[in-house]
């Protein structure tokens, strides 16, 4: 019987990004309200965060709420806005114990005050932690991010602070919401749960050379073992970044 491949600790993706999809469908299959799926999904964020940290992942980015999610019913949006408050209130001691540093990117000024304050407090409370970065994309949209970056670059050029001839990829990257992540800004691996196979306006610039893994599991059913399976699939890929491997 062939030996099953195992994870190579030396070839772990430094940055894993996850589109956490399928909470509503998970709840519907159980004849539960959609918010029950979101609650279970929040619980799974804790599980997968710890699993990623223990594996040695350096950055875990989770797509928590997109700029398009405001189109959902007010009751559901209100519940989703309350989840970060509950999450950080309950999970903060574990994050600090685990040495996890929280980052939150997105258009935070447009969030309800309590949600924004919870995000800002989480970043402040974990700012000195040196372990895995847990990066939430909250009220985030990839196209909006690129528009905002373009505006900032154009303003700098108009003010004479930047020569347009010098604008390059690093200029753009330095104005994106992932800039605080430094060398970890671009995910090595993107995982999307629930069987959907699209990136849905997520990290449009940063995913240029990421490996993509799609799973039929709904987010609440996505286990640490499923995370390891996705990473194992990643490790079996041949990443050439447009060139050739000798």
């Amino acid at each position: 019987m062939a030996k099953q491949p195992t994870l190579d600790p030396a070839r772990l993706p430094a940055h894993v990004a996850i589109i956490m999809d399928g909470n509503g469908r998970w709840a519907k299959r159980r004849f539960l309200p959609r918010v029950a799926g979101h609650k279970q999904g929040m619980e799974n964020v804790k599980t997968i965060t710890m699993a990623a940290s223990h594996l040695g992942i350096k950055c875990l980015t989770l797509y928590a709420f997109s700029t398009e999610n405001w189109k959902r019913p007010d009751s559901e949006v209100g519940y989703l806005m309350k989840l970060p408050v509950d999450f950080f209130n309950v999970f903060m001691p574990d994050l600090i114990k685990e040495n996890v540093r929280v980052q939150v990117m997105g258009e935070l000024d447009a969030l309800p005050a309590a949600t924004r304050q919870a995000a800002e407090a989480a970043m402040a409370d974990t700012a000195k932690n040196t372990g895995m970065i847990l990066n939430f994309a909250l009220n985030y949209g990839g196209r909006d991010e690129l528009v905002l970056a373009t505006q900032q670059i154009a303003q700098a050029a108009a003010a004479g602070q930047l020569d347009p001839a010098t604008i390059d990829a690093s200029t753009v990257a330095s104005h994106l919401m992932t800039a605080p992540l430094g060398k970890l800004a671009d995910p090595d691996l993107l995982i999307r749960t629930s069987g959907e196979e699209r990136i849905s306006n997520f990290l449009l610039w940063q995913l240029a050379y990421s490996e993509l893994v799609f799973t039929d599991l709904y987010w609440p059913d996505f286990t640490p073992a499923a995370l390891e399976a996705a990473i194992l699939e990643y490790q079996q890929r041949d990443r050439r970044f447009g060139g050739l491997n000798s």
Side-chain angles (χ1 to χ4, degrees), residues 7 44 47-52 55 221-231:
L7 287 183
N44 203 37
T47 300
I48 298 303
T49 294
M50 289 304 187
L55 281 172
D221 292 329
F222 187 78
T223 62
L227 174 64
E228 291 191 23
I231 293 173

Side-chain angles (χ1 to χ4, degrees), residues 5-177:
T6 57
L7 287 183
D8 180 354
R11 296 180 57 240
L12 290 173
H15 182 175
V16 176
I18 304 179
I19 300 176
M20 305 179 294
D21 197 14
N23 290 341
R25 280 168 284 171
W26 179 91
K28 184 177 180 180
R29 282 197 169 185
R30 290 160 175 77
F31 304 100
L32 297 170
R34 287 178 58 83
V35 294
H38 294 310
K39 184 177 186 300
Q40 189 62 35
M42 183 187 74
E43 293 297 321
N44 203 37
V45 168
K46 302 175 187 178
T47 300
I48 298 303
T49 294
M50 289 304 187
S53 178
H54 294 163
L55 281 172
I57 303 302
K58 296 184 182 301
C59 181
L60 177 67
T61 293
L62 302 177
Y63 203 5
F65 189 90
S66 77
T67 50
E68 288 74 35
N69 287 156
W70 294 107
K71 300 173 185 176
R72 296 186 178 188
D74 290 346
S75 59
E76 184 173 351
V77 169
Y79 187 84
L80 288 169
M81 287 295 104
K82 186 174 177 293
L83 280 179
V85 180
D86 295 341
F87 176 85
F88 290 128
N89 283 344
V90 173
F91 199 37
M92 187 53 60
D94 291 325
L95 291 174
I96 292 173
K97 183 178 179 181
E98 192 68 23
N99 197 29
V100 169
R101 177 160 64 91
V102 174
Q103 285 286 113
V104 184
M105 66 178 190
E107 297 178 53
L108 305 187
D109 289 344
L111 294 172
T115 308
R116 185 182 68 253
Q117 289 164 6
E120 291 171 348
M123 288 188 281
D125 290 345
T126 62
K128 295 182 179 180
N129 290 356
T130 58
M132 188 184 77
I133 299 169
L134 176 58
N135 182 42
F136 286 101
L138 189 60
N139 195 27
Y140 170 88
R143 288 185 173 182
D144 284 354
E145 178 186 35
L146 290 171
V147 168
L148 290 171
T150 303
Q151 290 173 342
Q152 292 168 8
I153 294 169
Q155 289 165 359
Q161 300 166 348
L162 177 67
D163 180 357
T166 67
I167 296 172
D168 57 14
S170 64
T171 309
V172 177
S174 69
H175 286 82
L176 297 177
M177 295 175 185

